Amino acid sequence: RGFRAYGPGTVNTGNLTLTFARGRNNEVYQWWLDTSQGRSTLKTVTVSLLNRGGSVARSYTFFDCVPVSYKSGNVSPGSSNATEELVVKIGRIEFN
């Protein structure tokens, strides 16, 4: 009982959790606000893994993503470790 069987043609891609430094880009928060107010906008999200030299070793492209939750980390005065967390529902994945 703790498993799921999938047949041909049924795809369950699940969710992607993104954690990033807070305040770097207001676009993510705006995307969450738009979606939470009923203006759903599907976006493409690309995650790149870098090797030690800083070059892209592998990347994943997630298509038709829509935010399902947003969380802003605790911020204390003088702290530079504030983070944001966005969970998105994935429509399709492409491995590059």
Side-chain angles (χ1 to χ4, degrees):
R1 292 186 195 247
F3 64 92
R4 227 176 192 190
Y6 295 99
T10 57
V11 177
N12 181 12
T13 53
N15 294 337
L16 171 67
T17 302
L18 303 164
T19 304
F20 45 91
R22 184 173 181 186
R24 302 280 303 220
N25 189 337
N26 196 33
E27 183 180 350
V28 172
Y29 182 67
Q30 189 60 50
W31 182 28
W32 162 252
L33 279 179
D34 290 345
T35 302
S36 66
Q37 295 171 356
R39 296 183 302 266
S40 181
T41 303
L42 299 177
K43 292 194 180 264
T44 299
V45 175
T46 300
V47 176
S48 297
L49 305 177
L50 306 178
N51 61 23
R52 291 178 192 232
S55 301
V56 175
R58 169 162 267 207
S59 63
Y60 304 88
T61 304
F62 304 93
F63 296 94
D64 302 330
C65 295
V66 63
V68 294
S69 73
Y70 172 84
K71 180 171 49 173
S72 180
N74 292 335
V75 179
S76 57
S79 173
S80 61
N81 297 338
T83 61
E84 295 174 275
E85 180 180 284
L86 181 71
V87 178
V88 298
K89 176 75 176 149
I90 302 167
R92 181 173 59 91
I93 302 172
E94 184 177 291
F95 303 98
N96 302 323

